[in-house]
Structure formats: C-alpha cells, structure tokens
Amino acid sequence: NIPVTAATSEVQSAPVTGDSQIASQQYRVVRGDSLSKIAKKFNTTVASLKSANNKGSDLIKLGENLLIPSLEATFISDLLFRL
C-alpha cells in the first residue's frame, strides 16, 4: 500500500442504481491514506475497494474519489474471490 498526503477526509453518499447496491459512499483520498487504512475505516476489504474502483494495483492518489462498497457488495466480492 502506498500512503498519500493531504489534510482532511471527505465522505459523501453516492447514488446507487440497478438491482444490487455496488457502492453506497464516495470517499476522497487524503494524506496518509492507503487502501488498507480506508478498508479498515469502512469495514470492507482491499479486494472489494479495488473491485469497486476497477483498480489493478494498490496505488491511490491524493484527492482521488473512491467508491466504498456496501457491506453486501463486500460480502459478495469476498465470496467470489474465494471460489
């Protein structure tokens, strides 16, 4: 995980469409963040964050907006990962 630098965090509700809730919040990356810290903060996993944001690596950038997956999406993502 690559830490980034900034001053404050920002969480916003994101609109959800379709039958399943893919992401329920949006989070802006701040100084010191890493995917693992963000995952822990929102009770999700790095794998779910990467999947929800179409990331192939753990690289995040200061000011980047990330979708935070719902608990249901995290459960499904983790379950599929184990298959």
Side-chain angles (χ1 to χ4, degrees), residues 44-55:
T44 188
T45 64
V46 170
S48 291
L49 283 174
K50 288 170 72 172
S51 177
N53 291 281
N54 299 316
K55 291 196 158 289

Side-chain angles (χ1 to χ4, degrees), residues 25 37 79:
Q25 296 181 34
K37 285 182 182 180
L79 184 62

